[in-house]
Amino acid sequence: MKNKPTYGIDSVDHALRLATVLQQEGPLRVTEAAARLGVARSTAHRLLAMLVYRDFAEQDHDRRYVAGPILRAQQMAEPVSELRRIALPHLAILTTRTMETSNLMVLVGDQIRFVATAECDQVLRVGDREGRVLPAHLASGGRALLAALEPDALRAFFDQSKAGVADVDALLRSLRRIRRQGFALNDELTEAGLTAIGCVVPRSPQSLPAAISLAMPTARYQRDRLPEWANLLAATAEAIARDLALAAETLEDEAYDGASAGERAESGFGAVDG
């Protein structure tokens, strides 16, 4: 398993985390960066300045920091900040209930990108995966997302993919089984000593294809607990989907109210003659 080095360099870690946030979530102000990292504003400013110097960031006309030329080459089509904000409290609850690390990920081409992690506090644990990218057909969340696609779309997907799948037919059979059971298992497919269970976050037409996973050391994985873990994952995914739908409805209502107020002002309705 890949966990944070014992003697990690905090400044490097902070800079890399900021680069990940800029790429995945969009514009960031210095105060927001400081709050995200838990550092002083002056420290955040120095880190962002270095990212600008190396073309990982730049400033827009509002003096916000945005992804620079290096990061824009692989920037996601849609920011994930709202998805991440809504999902994190649910991931935290899942981690508390299972005592294992939980993750949120989105599908980007033929890869899966981790956008949030709620890390458990056990001594032996799976560490923070935020920002990492893995082949979608190997990671549990990626397998769950691929299984939700129609068979013809899947075959076309792998015909165009550069993921290097040796036996597409065997993979398609595996994905059909995942679709029937409602969750996917990654048993050391991406890392030795790591087992993960993933399921899809039900989506609306406006939302990103997303999945969540529960990741643990293989030594702690117990097959007889798989139904329990899968049910907890499914309940968490449903809760995230409900909150995403509520957030979307709220935005629509606010946009409607704003438009209605503007229309009323334009037409003079309710105005009092002087």
Side-chain angles (χ1 to χ4, degrees), residues 8 15 22 24 40 44 49 68 85 94 96 102 112 130-131 133 153 157 166-167 186 209 233 247 249 255:
L22 290 173
Q24 295 182 172
R85 181 188 69 79
L94 179 62
T96 299
S102 57
I112 204 81
E130 187 173 327
V133 174
F157 177 89
D167 190 339
N186 164 13
L233 272 169
E249 287 176 11

Side-chain angles (χ1 to χ4, degrees), residues 4 32 53 60 92 207 226 265:
K4 185 176 180 180
E32 294 168 336
Y53 175 67
D60 64 12
S207 62
L226 185 55

Side-chain angles (χ1 to χ4, degrees), residues 80-210:
V80 298
S81 54
E82 183 70 356
L83 172 63
R84 185 182 186 279
R85 181 188 69 79
I86 288 172
L88 263 174
H90 295 289
L91 292 182
I93 293 169
L94 179 62
T95 292
T96 299
R97 294 185 68 179
T98 61
M99 295 299 293
E100 301 293 355
T101 295
S102 57
N103 300 288
L104 170 71
M105 57 201 82
V106 294
L107 191 63
V108 183
D110 59 6
Q111 296 182 313
I112 204 81
R113 186 185 295 276
F114 290 76
V115 297
T117 292
E119 190 175 345
C120 73
D121 57 7
Q122 299 208 60
V123 176
L124 179 63
R125 65 182 182 274
V126 176
D128 191 338
R129 292 298 191 263
E130 187 173 327
R132 289 194 63 191
V133 174
L134 292 173
H137 69 285
L138 298 179
S140 63
R143 290 164 68 82
L145 282 165
L146 292 178
L149 300 177
E150 293 301 322
D152 290 344
L154 266 176
R155 188 169 287 280
F157 177 89
F158 286 113
D159 285 344
Q160 299 170 10
S161 169
K162 298 179 182 178
V165 178
D167 190 339
V168 174
D169 288 330
L171 178 59
L172 292 178
R173 288 194 296 272
S174 174
L175 293 176
R176 283 197 294 272
R177 185 172 63 254
I178 290 168
R179 187 172 188 171
R180 287 195 302 271
Q181 67 190 17
F183 65 88
L185 185 66
N186 164 13
D187 193 10
E188 300 189 274
L189 292 176
T190 53
E191 286 183 41
L194 184 150
T195 298
I197 311 149
C199 78
V200 171
V201 175
R203 62 177 300 209
S204 66
Q206 297 81 21
S207 62
L208 290 167

Side-chain angles (χ1 to χ4, degrees), residues 22-36:
L22 290 173
Q23 185 186 54
Q24 295 182 172
E25 301 180 33
L28 199 63
R29 297 192 184 278
V30 173
T31 51
E32 294 168 336
R36 187 67 172 268

